[in-house]
Amino acid sequence: MASFHDRIPSNMWRVVFYERRGNRVHMDRTGPWLPEKTHARQWADWFREQGYHVALQDQNGGLEKLHVGLPG
C-alpha cells in the first residue's frame, strides 16, 4: 500500500485574481489549491472569459501572468 506522502502532488496551482484601482493593480483574492496545472488553467480561462483579470500561482509563489501589465 502506498504511503500518504506518495499521494501528495509535488506541485499545486491556484488562480489569483487582480483588481485595478486607479493606476494600481492589487491582488484581490485567490482560489483554492488544485493538484493539476491544466485544471487551474481551465478555471483561469473561464474566469478570463467572464471579464476577470487572473494569473496562475504555483505552490512556490511563482506567478504565470495571463494578462499583459499584471505584476509578477
Side-chain angles (χ1 to χ4, degrees):
M1 181 174 205
S3 73
F4 175 75
H5 294 289
D6 293 338
R7 290 180 271 155
I8 297 174
S10 61
N11 203 4
M12 302 284 281
W13 295 86
R14 69 180 174 182
V15 178
V16 176
F17 297 85
Y18 287 91
E19 180 183 355
R20 291 191 181 276
R21 297 180 190 161
N23 292 334
R24 296 184 182 263
V25 177
H26 296 273
M27 187 186 308
D28 188 33
R29 58 191 177 275
T30 58
W33 290 105
L34 300 166
E36 295 179 15
K37 184 178 181 179
T38 55
H39 195 110
R41 170 67 85 156
Q42 289 172 345
W43 276 109
D45 290 341
W46 186 85
F47 280 110
R48 284 179 61 200
E49 291 172 2
Q50 306 307 310
Y52 291 92
H53 296 279
V54 296
L56 291 179
Q57 182 181 38
D58 67 14
Q59 70 185 29
N60 298 319
L63 286 175
E64 182 178 319
K65 297 187 290 184
L66 302 176
H67 288 275
V68 176
L70 288 180

